[in-house]
Amino acid sequence: MNELAQQIVSGLATGSIYASMALALVLIYRSMGVINFAQGEMAMFSTYLAWQFAQQGMPLWIAFPLTIAIAFAGAVALERVVVRPVERAAPLTVVILCLGLLITFNGLAGWIWGYTVRTFPSPFPTTPLHIGSAAFSSQDLGIIAVSLLSLGAISLFFGKTKLGLAMRAAALYPESSRVLGVRVGWMLALGWGMAAAVGALSGLMVAPVVLLEPNMMQGILVYAFAAAVLGGIDSPVGAVVGGLALGVGLNLIGAYVPVIGTDLQLTTAFGIIIVILLFRPAGLFGRRTMRRV
Amino acid sequence: MPALLEIRDLSIRFGGIAALSDVSFDIEEGHVAGLIGPNGAGKTTCFNCITRLYQPTSGRLAFAGDDLLRHAPHELAGKRIARTFQNVALFDRLSTLDNVMVGYHVRYARGAARLRSDDGGRRAALEALDYLGLGEHANRPVRSLPFGTRKMVELARALVARPRLLLLDEPASGLTTAEVAALADVVKRIAADYSATIVMVEHHMQLVMNVCDHVIVLASGRKIADGPPEAVQRDKGVIEAYLGTA
């Protein structure tokens, strides 16, 4: 029983990383209709910034919020300068631009910091937390808490604030939002900023586990993409549920189905996702789009 | 005193097609005006130019003496110009109340105040919904409402910004006979209660003749008649445009 609880908690921890990245993907997808393939590399780049700040002796509790603020501002600027010219272009053009950004950030990080794998400081204590006879990693619990708090804050922002409502409106129907006085272009830029901030947060959380190197987020982006599709690519709730389900599912398969083990873990997970999508093509929480022709 | 809306020599081309050619007309403050004409006459294009969704090829648009072409689309709501769309452009996934609250967006305070929840906007949105008798639908998802009701919700969204100029694009299309009769009353009430100047694109002639003080007729991108409804109704050119030459 204890082992099961421990496996679930550790699955939830990796799952909340996937959930945060998946949410970042969904935020962009909802407003632009494309997957930002550079989302992972942008998070990796931000994580390097935090590492650099820490190297210079800055305490983590300053370095982390500063990094997230820079990620937000940087992505807003990136949207305004680089993405804006192709905003109304065909989706494929935007996809190519995102792939270009992926390669750019990856190359930049390698050029500045090199490809050496580095350890990354964890903000959480290393001592495990005992609840009853089970021992949980403080790192895992910390990741879960931080992720859930940030996801909760984002859902409050979209649900309860005027700006959140304007952003939802702009993503759903740009033309009529514009007529109603919403600055659609800036709402898009804010969306990029928020996605980058969530991404940076997940980079900071996962770096102590996967270690810091320019390719650290690529695997995670694949899982996040899978989580987002599983949950329904246009549903923020779906992204979170999909991420958590994927994390827990993978962990349990790895632990309890020895035939599959860690080697076939990913293959099995994708097999399950494909089966689910056969029955629910729009994902668990997605909406089927119907178009009048 | 100049007219509230002055349109001068408005032209717009899409590739080789002239959607509007040298269209000029005035809308007086306080009037309810009808913009009519056969399909493809350029009526909606004209609305899209006024709300800056289209960039005219040439011509001048002035609202209360202010050159509209110098403003971006999102700034027009601040000048209290509001519109509805032919196909009902509501935010399908949001509740009825949220839809109407987006219309209040332009009256939000700037800066950090936008990060707070919005009681003023909520109250104004509920008022606009109640004014149109839609209060009971406030918390329903807007996509669950019947088409005629959705059109009214879109009207409430335009009203919540307290428009000085209200552009209605085919408000009667898709409505039942009873709903059209109610719409005529609603339009007259809005003009009086909100002191709004209204321009409507409409095919329903009975509605137009019933509520409009002034009718402008477009055909193939040109203005062919402009005047009080009775005069326009008797105009030979208008009859030809609608029925073809005998």
Side-chain angles (χ1 to χ4, degrees):
Chain A
M1 210 44 221
N2 281 339
E3 202 206 327
L4 179 66
Q6 279 161 251
Q7 291 293 351
I8 289 176
V9 167
S10 119
L12 282 175
T14 36
S16 51
I17 302 284
Y18 302 152
S20 303
M21 276 311 283
L23 182 68
L25 294 178
V26 166
L27 283 177
I28 306 278
Y29 184 86
R30 266 158 64 103
S31 50
M32 303 193 76
V34 297
I35 291 294
N36 177 11
F37 289 102
Q39 203 75 62
E41 305 309 276
M42 286 162 67
M44 171 277 295
F45 200 85
S46 309
T47 311
Y48 264 107
L49 287 180
W51 176 82
Q52 190 71 58
F53 293 146
Q55 286 300 105
Q56 251 121 50
M58 195 186 281
L60 293 187
W61 63 271
I62 302 179
F64 281 19
L66 180 66
T67 301
I68 290 168
I70 293 175
F72 179 88
V76 169
L78 194 69
E79 200 285 333
R80 293 278 76 186
V81 178
V82 182
V83 183
R84 192 177 188 192
V86 298
E87 245 170 49
R88 285 157 186 250
L92 211 50
T93 315
V94 187
V95 168
I96 293 296
L97 179 90
C98 291
L99 288 175
L101 288 174
L102 183 161
I103 294 165
T104 310
F105 278 112
N106 189 277
L108 265 182
W111 181 63
I112 300 174
W113 292 292
Y115 289 90
T116 328
V117 178
R118 298 172 199 274
T119 55
F120 189 85
S122 170
F124 304 112
T126 44
T127 45
L129 199 76
H130 294 274
I131 297 173
S133 56
F136 299 105
S137 136
S138 306
Q139 169 108 2
D140 284 352
L141 294 173
I143 290 176
I144 295 171
V146 168
S147 305
L148 291 185
L149 277 178
S150 65
L151 298 177
I154 287 172
S155 112
L156 276 179
F157 169 79
F158 278 110
K160 297 285 177 206
T161 72
K162 309 165 193 182
L163 193 56
L165 179 61
M167 283 179 72
R168 281 190 292 158
L172 287 173
Y173 227 135
E175 198 170 78
S176 50
S177 301
R178 206 168 269 133
V179 170
L180 293 168
V182 177
R183 305 193 65 173
V184 174
W186 276 103
M187 296 301 127
L188 210 53
L190 278 182
W192 271 71
M194 288 181 63
V198 179
L201 189 65
S202 61
L204 295 174
M205 294 295 115
V206 81
V209 185
V210 300
L211 303 178
L212 186 62
E213 49 109 4
N215 300 325
M216 65 179 258
M217 292 304 279
Q218 285 171 4
I220 292 164
L221 190 76
V222 173
Y223 285 109
F225 187 24
V229 172
L230 176 65
I233 188 72
D234 54 359
S235 160
V237 177
V240 173
V241 175
L244 294 177
L246 192 64
V248 173
L250 282 175
N251 223 32
L252 293 185
I253 291 172
Y256 293 106
V257 192
V259 191
I260 295 170
T262 44
D263 291 336
L264 285 177
Q265 215 178 17
L266 187 56
T267 318
T268 316
F270 274 83
I272 294 169
I273 290 174
I274 289 170
V275 171
I276 290 175
L277 291 180
L278 281 178
F279 292 99
R280 288 193 63 89
L284 295 174
F285 293 83
R287 204 173 288 279
R288 267 178 204 237
T289 48
M290 272 186 266
R291 185 164 294 176
R292 210 186 281 216
V293 286
Chain B
M1 206 184 85
L4 182 66
L5 181 68
E6 291 172 86
I7 296 182
R8 289 289 171 277
D9 305 319
L10 187 68
S11 299
I12 182 168
R13 303 183 67 85
F14 297 108
I17 297 159
L20 289 173
S21 323
D22 297 322
V23 171
S24 300
F25 59 85
D26 283 348
I27 306 287
E28 299 293 336
E29 178 128 43
H31 269 192
V32 176
L35 189 57
I36 65 169
N39 284 324
K43 306 176 297 285
T44 297
T45 306
C46 191
F47 270 17
N48 285 345
C49 287
I50 299 171
T51 50
R52 305 289 293 110
L53 294 176
Y54 289 168
Q55 178 68 33
T57 318
S58 63
R60 227 166 56 77
L61 287 166
F63 175 71
D66 188 7
D67 181 4
L68 285 183
L69 297 181
R70 286 180 20 210
H71 296 286
H74 71 262
E75 292 171 353
L76 297 202
K79 305 199 166 297
R80 293 171 54 208
I81 298 178
R83 75 174 284 183
T84 64
F85 290 83
Q86 204 170 336
N87 308 317
V88 185
L90 288 171
F91 306 111
D92 279 347
R93 292 191 193 178
L94 306 185
S95 72
T96 303
L97 184 64
D98 277 351
N99 263 281
V100 179
M101 276 174 67
V102 179
Y104 192 79
H105 176 83
V106 64
R107 291 166 66 194
Y108 291 166
R110 291 272 144 218
R114 282 184 290 180
L115 294 173
R116 288 206 302 269
S117 66
D118 186 31
D119 291 332
R122 179 172 300 272
R123 217 175 305 120
L126 282 170
E127 264 172 36
L129 284 170
D130 281 336
Y131 180 78
L132 295 176
L134 302 167
E136 54 174 322
H137 303 303
N139 294 315
R140 300 211 180 116
V142 77
R143 64 170 179 282
S144 68
L145 303 176
F147 186 72
T149 313
R150 290 158 50 88
K151 291 199 91 148
M152 285 295 130
V153 173
E154 204 191 18
L155 185 56
R157 186 177 70 180
L159 279 186
V160 77
R162 302 215 147 251
R164 197 169 162 199
L165 176 65
L166 177 59
L167 307 170
L168 306 176
D169 198 347
E170 300 202 14
S173 77
L175 299 194
T176 63
T177 318
E179 285 173 329
V180 174
L183 178 67
D185 282 340
V186 165
V187 171
K188 286 177 184 169
R189 271 170 54 209
I190 290 171
D193 296 348
Y194 283 77
S195 332
T197 303
I198 299 175
V199 184
M200 61 163 124
V201 165
E202 192 45 74
H203 284 293
H204 199 290
M205 281 310 130
Q206 210 184 328
L207 177 69
V208 171
M209 297 303 157
N210 177 1
V211 303
C212 294
D213 309 304
H214 173 194
V215 174
I216 298 131
V217 190
L218 297 181
S220 312
R222 293 176 185 280
K223 186 176 87 171
I224 58 168
D226 185 346
E230 313 77 46
V232 165
Q233 221 167 358
R234 289 190 304 266
D235 189 285
K236 248 187 144 162
V238 175
I239 296 167
E240 273 175 23
Y242 270 93
L243 303 175
T245 27

